[in-house]
Amino acid sequence: MKVAVVGATGLVGTEMLTVLAARNFPVTELIPVASERSKGKEIEFKGKKYKVVTPSEAIALKPDVALFSAGGDTSKEFAPKFAEAGITVIDNSSAWRMDPTKKLVVPEVNGDVLSVDDKIIANPNCSTIQMVVALKPLHDKYKIKRVVVSTYQSVTGTGVKAVNQLMDERAGKDGEKAYPYPIDLNVIPHIDVFQENGYTKEEMKMILETNKIMRDDSIKVTATTVRIPVMGGHSESLNIEFENDFDVNDVRAALAAQSGCIVVDDPASLQYPMPKDAHGKDEVFVGRIRRDESQPNTLNMWVVADNLRKGAATNAVQVAELLAAKGLI
Ligand SMILES: NC(=O)c1ccc[n+]([C@@H]2O[C@H](COP(=O)([O-])OP(=O)(O)OC[C@H]3O[C@@H](n4cnc5c(N)ncnc54)[C@H](OP(=O)(O)O)[C@@H]3O)[C@@H](O)[C@H]2O)c1
């Protein structure tokens, strides 16, 4: 299959190349795509070198599928052009996620929604993906009424510039800034732009995307999203109120049975998920599973995943795998 990776020089794009190779996606030809700035730059994939081209040049090369991670503006401009040329687009930006005509897909949760008509498919927000993988089996079993989520998000979620800011600060060097404040030795309770209601856009993404992916607007979600000086992945504290009561061991078993989810939960031996362990892995890790003793039918848990993997590249490649398995690309 001819595969274009749009944003191939970025953090997510680089991870996509790693994931395509690691999962043995049947790539016969790779088309790495980036901006004019990177045109002609060489990218290595499975021992072969490929030259970076611009999005317009990539369309002319007619890939079967294009994995986009080059920001919302690039997606808005080019995804429809790729689609018109018959190329299926899987897009990592927020450009199409809430468009009612586009599917927003996490294969383990709602992969069944994909059809032959879907030419632009949206990959959800990284924090939302890891949360819904863990929520799905519990919603099926106990019906979720409300989720209160607080995130502890890696700087890799903001791209190359943010990683450089953290590294520069740690080395005592001046450099480009991705954040309005120092990130090293700090915590910034602000991800993406503020909205009129006082929430950030990242928080609203978690709320709205969860309802769309779970196909259930009755699930109430409230979120506080926070950037921390960490690299390996995003962590989330979830407080979940169910309609029905549960047994904590049954909750663990349901999570362990969920595809793409690994339970790491043994306080006696200090086993709980951490971003340094999730780094470079495709799964979502869940631990600190315990009853919220302050109100009925309510659970606390801690969810960690590599935001560049399951939160972005892995999920996009899994969508491509699913399309291929259904004969849709
Ligand atoms: N980081 C995450 O955890 C994460 C998770 C989910 C989704 N996303 C989304 O994925 C996208 C990329 O994120 P990132 O973290 O990889 O950012 P990044 O490291 O800053 O990389 C951005 C990429 O986009 C390319 N690009 C920029 N403008 C372009 C244009 N006009 N035409 C073609 N290519 C262009 C860049 O190419 P040059 O090298 O030529 O500039 C680079 O390859 C964003 O939409 C982001 O919201 C990120």
Side-chain angles (χ1 to χ4, degrees):
M1 215 171 286
K2 241 180 172 177
V3 180
V5 174
V6 184
T9 53
L11 279 188
V12 175
T14 306
E15 205 65 32
M16 277 182 177
L17 299 176
T18 306
V19 173
L20 284 168
R23 297 178 71 90
N24 258 322
F25 192 80
V27 181
T28 48
E29 188 185 333
L30 179 79
I31 305 169
V33 187
S35 74
E36 285 284 348
R37 291 179 292 274
S38 309
K39 187 179 160 157
K41 201 173 153 182
E42 283 194 331
I43 297 263
E44 202 172 308
F45 178 72
K46 285 190 153 182
K48 257 179 93 175
K49 290 200 166 129
Y50 296 89
K51 279 206 165 44
V52 170
V53 300
T54 63
S56 309
E57 290 168 335
I59 295 173
L61 295 170
K62 292 232 174 278
D64 299 293
V65 62
L67 308 178
F68 268 61
S69 64
D73 291 344
T74 307
S75 291
K76 281 233 164 86
E77 184 181 351
F78 285 103
K81 292 182 182 165
F82 276 65
E84 271 161 35
I87 305 157
T88 302
V89 171
I90 301 168
D91 182 46
N92 260 293
S93 78
S94 56
W96 308 102
R97 290 178 189 153
M98 294 312 296
D99 181 329
T101 67
K102 306 285 182 292
K103 307 281 170 61
L104 182 64
V105 179
V106 178
E108 303 90 330
V109 179
N110 65 339
D112 57 298
V113 294
L114 288 172
S115 78
V116 71
D117 300 323
D118 298 317
K119 280 294 165 213
I120 300 176
I121 298 151
N123 219 37
N125 165 264
C126 43
S127 312
T128 311
I129 293 178
Q130 68 183 69
M131 179 166 80
V132 295
V133 168
L135 290 183
K136 171 76 167 94
L138 305 184
H139 186 52
D140 289 348
K141 221 166 147 67
Y142 308 111
K143 196 158 185 357
I144 296 171
K145 279 170 75 174
R146 179 168 184 255
V147 180
V148 181
V149 53
S150 302
T151 70
Y152 304 69
Q153 295 184 221
S154 156
V155 292
T156 56
T158 325
V160 173
K161 204 167 142 189
V163 173
N164 291 343
Q165 177 177 341
L166 176 61
M167 289 302 138
D168 286 344
E169 286 172 8
R170 302 202 95 194
K173 284 198 311 206
D174 214 18
E176 261 195 312
K177 306 273 182 247
Y179 304 117
Y181 298 101
I183 184 67
D184 194 25
L185 300 175
N186 198 14
V187 159
I188 305 177
H190 163 197
I191 299 184
D192 211 332
V193 292
F194 279 99
Q195 311 287 284
E196 262 178 25
N197 63 0
Y199 284 76
T200 65
K201 202 169 164 197
E202 182 84 352
E203 288 159 353
M204 293 313 297
K205 286 177 199 166
M206 291 194 79
I207 296 165
L208 300 171
E209 291 180 22
T210 298
N211 289 147
K212 181 166 176 179
I213 300 161
M214 303 280 279
R215 287 170 279 190
D216 190 341
D217 289 343
S218 75
I219 301 174
K220 292 187 187 135
V221 182
T222 187
T224 303
T225 58
V226 180
R227 189 73 63 191
I228 59 167
V230 152
M231 300 264 291
H234 293 348
S235 304
E236 297 173 349
S237 158
L238 298 185
N239 179 266
I240 311 157
E241 185 185 354
F242 298 104
E243 212 151 281
N244 304 307
D245 200 8
F246 55 84
D247 174 89
V248 173
N249 285 325
D250 291 344
V251 166
R252 278 198 195 92
L255 288 165
Q258 162 74 0
S259 159
C261 188
I262 295 180
V263 174
V264 182
D265 191 29
D266 184 16
S269 60
L270 309 186
Q271 295 299 305
Y272 32 73
M274 290 186 286
K276 83 179 210 355
D277 298 327
H279 186 207
K281 309 249 172 70
D282 287 332
E283 295 85 4
V284 172
F285 299 87
V286 187
R288 301 296 324 278
I289 301 163
R290 64 211 190 276
R291 186 175 283 282
D292 173 351
E293 294 178 339
S294 70
Q295 68 169 9
N297 303 356
T298 307
L299 183 84
N300 284 314
M301 63 187 194
W302 177 249
V303 178
V304 179
D306 186 334
N307 52 296
L308 294 177
R309 287 286 186 117
K310 184 57 187 168
T314 302
N315 197 73
V317 174
Q318 287 171 330
V319 170
E321 287 171 349
L322 191 56
L323 289 170
K326 290 183 173 208
L328 301 176
I329 49 172

